[in-house]
Amino acid sequence: MPRSLQRLFDLHARARLRKLFAALGTDNAHESATARERIDALLREHGRHWSDVIELLGGDVDVLLDDLVRDIAGLGAADPAARARARRAIDDLLVRERKTWNDLVAALSGSHEAWACKPQQPDPDRVNPLALILHLLGDYVALAPHQLVAVSLWALHTFVYAQFAVTPRLVLRSPTAGAGKTVLLDLLSTLVPKPEKFDAITTAALIRTIDQMHPTVLIDEADNMNIALQPNGRLRAIFNSGHRQGGTDAISERGTVRKFSTFAPLALALPEMVHGLPRTLNSRSITIGMERSPRQLKRYDPVAPNPALTAAYLQAYLWAHDPALELNRDPEMPVMGNRFADNWRPLIAIADALGYGEEARDAMMIFAREFRDADVKIILLADIRRIFDAQGGDRLPSAVLLAALHGLDDAEWQEFQGARGEQQPHKLRAGELAGMLRDFGIKSRTIWPHDRTAESKSSKGYLAVQFEDAWRRYCGDAGGGTAAQSNVVKITRAAS
C-alpha cells in the first residue's frame, strides 16, 4: 500500500473502523449487517482484509489470544455459517469475562487487556453453581428457603433463557425500606450475564437496549415508572411482550416501521406491597416478598471486588456452556396448564440438571399457594364463595355482598385497581362488581328474604345457585377457607 494511503487510513479511517467494529456487536441483525458491509467497503477502499483489522485498529496480534485473532478474521468470512460461528465464539468470550464489544474494541486497539491476551487462564475445577449461589445469597439477604431457591434458579436461567419459551420476570417487593431489595439486585448484577441496572429508563431507551444487547435488565425503584397506570401502557407492554420468545415492539422511524426484539430477562424492585404491578405483568412474574432481617447479614459492597461472587459467576458460565449440558424443556411439573407453570418451567429444568429438582418443586408449590393473581375475576368468584359459605344462606343482596368483600382482611377489594390493574387504588364499586360477574353470565336479580312477610322488601342481589357452575369451572371443588369467616359473618349480619 502506498505510504500516503496508509497515512490516510491512520488519520481518517481508524476512528471510523473502531466505531463500525463496535456497532458490529449489536444483536440487531439489520444494524450488525450494515456495520459489516461498511467495514467491508472500508477495507476494500484501502486494499486490506479482515485479517488486517486488528493491525488497523492499532493492536498487536502476537499478544492476543490465538482464538480471538482467528475469530476476528472469521467475522469477514464469505460463508454466513462461518461468520455466525466466529460471532458466537466472540460473544461467549465477552460473556465469560463480563465484557462488552466496547471493551473488545479497546483490547484490539492495543490496550493489552489481560482477559484478551496470552496466556489464557485455565478453567477452575467445576462445582455445582446452584449450590454455590444458594450459599452466597443467603449470607447477604434474608430470604425464606423457597425464595432463595427461586432467586438462585432465576439467576442461572439468565444464562440459558433463550432455550425456553418464556423468561419469568422476577419481582422484589417489601412493605418497608431496608428489606434488601437493592442489595439483592446488586448481587444479581454480579451473577447474571450482561447485566444492565437502572433506577429509571425511558421506554425508547429500554427497547433499544434490549434489542441491541439482550441484557439481563435490573430495575430498582420501579414504582417511579408508574407501570400500573394507563399512561405507561407502552412500557408495560414491553415488560409483558419480553416475557415470551419472539416478543417484539414496532417503532416508526422516518416513515419506516422497524421491529425491535423485547425478549430478555427482567427483574424489578418495588418498595411497597399494597399495589404497583398490573395483573398482566404480575401473572408473568415470580414475586419475592422481602422483609427486614432479624439477624445480622454480611455487608455487601458493590464497589469492592468480591472473589466469591466472581467465582460463582464463572461456575455458572462454565455450566451453561458445557457441550454436554442438556436441559429438558418439558420437565415434570407439579402445577400444569397455565402461565404460572410457564414461569417455573425453565427453573425446574435447571434444578433437575443440577440435582435440586425436589427442592425446586417444593418451592414452586409454596409460591403456587401464595399466588393470588391468576385472574382478578377468579379471585372475586373465590371470595364470594367464601362469603356465601360463611353466612350459610343461599342469597345475598348486592350491598351486603359488596360490604363483605370490602371487609375481607386478606383481600384487596378496598385497594381495587380495576379488572386490568390499571387504575388508582379505590374501593370496589357496585358497578365494577356487577360488570365482572356479568362476564360469567351472572346477573343480579330481585331477591326476597326467606321469611317473607307483608312488610318485607325486595332488593337486587344474587343467589348462590347462580355461581355454582362458575365455581365448579374456575375455583375447583374445595370450599372457601375459614381464615376470614368471622369477619364475613360479622359484616353480613350487620348489613342484613
Side-chain angles (χ1 to χ4, degrees):
M1 178 184 295
R3 184 180 298 274
S4 60
L5 192 57
Q6 178 64 53
R7 283 200 302 270
L8 182 64
F9 190 95
D10 289 343
L11 293 173
H12 300 286
R14 180 168 293 175
R16 185 179 174 206
L17 179 60
R18 288 176 179 170
K19 183 176 180 180
L20 288 172
F21 196 87
L24 187 66
T26 177
D27 282 355
N28 183 289
H30 171 75
E31 294 178 0
S32 180
T34 299
R36 179 180 175 275
E37 291 168 2
R38 291 176 178 173
I39 293 173
D40 281 338
L42 183 63
L43 294 174
R44 287 196 303 270
E45 178 184 342
H46 294 85
R48 306 303 288 264
H49 306 281
W50 276 84
S51 58
D52 302 319
V53 164
I54 295 174
E55 174 194 345
L56 295 175
L57 287 170
D60 184 350
V61 296
D62 291 332
V63 303
L64 293 170
L65 297 172
D66 292 337
D67 288 349
L68 180 57
V69 173
R70 179 203 63 207
D71 293 329
I72 297 300
L75 293 173
D79 179 14
R83 293 200 302 268
R85 285 194 297 271
R87 170 61 189 265
R88 283 195 300 271
I90 293 171
D91 284 342
D92 286 347
L93 174 63
L94 295 176
V95 169
R96 174 187 174 122
E97 303 296 337
R98 301 178 63 81
K99 302 297 181 181
T100 68
W101 272 76
N102 286 332
D103 297 319
L104 177 62
V105 173
L108 300 181
S109 301
S111 65
H112 292 182
E113 301 284 342
W115 62 271
C117 295
K118 303 171 184 174
Q120 188 173 25
Q121 295 297 317
D123 289 340
D125 293 336
R126 300 282 292 276
V127 299
N128 188 314
L130 179 54
L132 184 55
I133 293 173
L134 282 166
H135 172 73
L136 291 173
L137 288 183
D139 287 341
Y140 292 100
V141 289
L143 296 175
H146 69 287
Q147 295 175 323
L148 196 57
V149 168
V151 173
S152 300
L153 287 169
W154 187 89
L156 285 172
H157 112 281
T158 61
F159 287 87
V160 295
Y161 77 95
Q163 298 185 34
F164 295 90
V166 305
T167 170
R169 281 57 190 101
L170 183 70
V171 176
L172 313 178
R173 308 185 74 169
S174 68
T176 61
K181 300 184 302 297
T182 298
V183 170
L184 183 50
L185 284 184
D186 285 339
L187 288 165
L188 288 173
S189 72
T190 71
L191 294 169
V192 301
K194 297 191 286 188
E196 288 292 326
K197 187 170 180 287
F198 306 100
D199 293 323
I201 187 171
T202 65
T203 301
L206 181 63
I207 291 172
R208 292 186 179 278
T209 298
I210 293 175
D211 183 68
Q212 292 173 0
M213 299 174 57
H214 288 94
T216 301
V217 181
L218 309 169
I219 301 180
D220 204 356
E221 304 295 338
D223 65 315
N224 293 331
M225 298 180 175
N226 290 323
I227 53 179
L229 304 182
Q230 188 62 41
N232 247 348
R234 181 74 184 283
L235 182 63
R236 184 169 61 252
I238 301 305
F239 290 168
N240 287 343
S241 69
H243 172 259
R244 182 165 289 276
Q245 183 85 251
T248 60
D249 186 79
I251 296 179
S252 178
E253 291 183 336
R254 301 174 184 176
T256 302
V257 176
R258 286 190 53 195
K259 281 189 175 180
F260 293 81
S261 171
T262 58
F263 185 55
L266 169 71
L268 304 169
L270 296 165
E272 46 73 32
M273 292 292 290
V274 177
H275 46 78
L277 276 188
R279 289 179 171 85
T280 54
L281 179 54
N282 201 29
S283 67
R284 292 168 167 84
S285 303
I286 295 173
T287 299
I288 308 295
M290 300 182 68
E291 297 181 352
R292 291 180 180 177
S293 175
R295 61 185 176 88
Q296 187 68 35
L297 296 168
K298 184 182 292 187
R299 178 179 174 273
Y300 175 67
D301 185 345
V303 178
N306 192 308
L309 292 170
T310 300
Y313 175 87
L314 181 55
Q315 289 292 337
Y317 169 88
L318 293 172
W319 164 78
H321 289 80
D322 188 337
L325 175 64
E326 291 186 9
L327 294 174
N328 180 5
R329 284 181 280 186
D330 190 22
E332 180 182 345
M333 303 291 291
V335 177
M336 296 294 292
N338 55 33
R339 188 173 287 160
F340 181 88
D342 290 343
N343 291 337
W344 274 87
R345 191 164 285 107
L347 308 192
I348 296 295
I350 292 168
D352 283 345
L354 291 169
Y356 278 77
E358 182 178 353
E359 292 86 345
R361 288 175 175 82
D362 288 345
M364 179 182 176
M365 292 307 298
I366 295 174
F367 277 97
R369 290 193 293 270
E370 295 175 349
F371 187 70
R372 294 228 4 116
D373 202 36
D375 189 295
V376 65
K377 297 171 188 176
I378 295 175
I379 294 172
L380 177 63
L381 285 177
D383 285 346
I384 289 175
R385 182 164 65 175
R386 292 166 58 194
I387 292 168
F388 268 105
D389 288 346
Q391 63 92 32
D394 66 347
R395 63 197 64 199
L396 281 173
S398 297
V400 174
L401 177 58
L402 190 63
L405 288 167
H406 292 162
L408 291 175
D409 292 339
D410 57 349
E412 297 183 4
W413 302 114
Q414 294 206 55
E415 296 284 348
F416 186 58
Q417 292 180 264
R420 295 174 60 87
E422 298 172 344
Q423 302 174 18
Q424 292 284 3
H426 61 274
K427 276 190 174 185
L428 175 68
R429 305 181 184 108
E432 293 169 324
L433 169 62
M436 288 190 286
L437 292 179
R438 277 197 297 271
D439 289 345
F440 297 103
I442 302 170
K443 299 179 181 179
S444 65
R445 60 177 62 181
T446 300
I447 61 174
W448 292 87
H450 267 297
D451 301 325
R452 182 176 176 180
T453 66
E455 289 76 28
S456 296
K457 295 182 179 181
S458 65
S459 61
K460 287 292 185 180
Y462 299 90
L463 299 176
V465 69
Q466 294 177 262
F467 294 88
E468 287 180 355
D469 181 61
W471 284 338
R472 183 169 54 253
R473 286 186 290 122
Y474 295 102
C475 301
D477 297 327
T482 61
Q485 285 190 4
S486 60
N487 286 338
V488 175
V489 171
K490 292 177 183 177
I491 294 167
T492 52
R493 287 176 177 171
S496 297

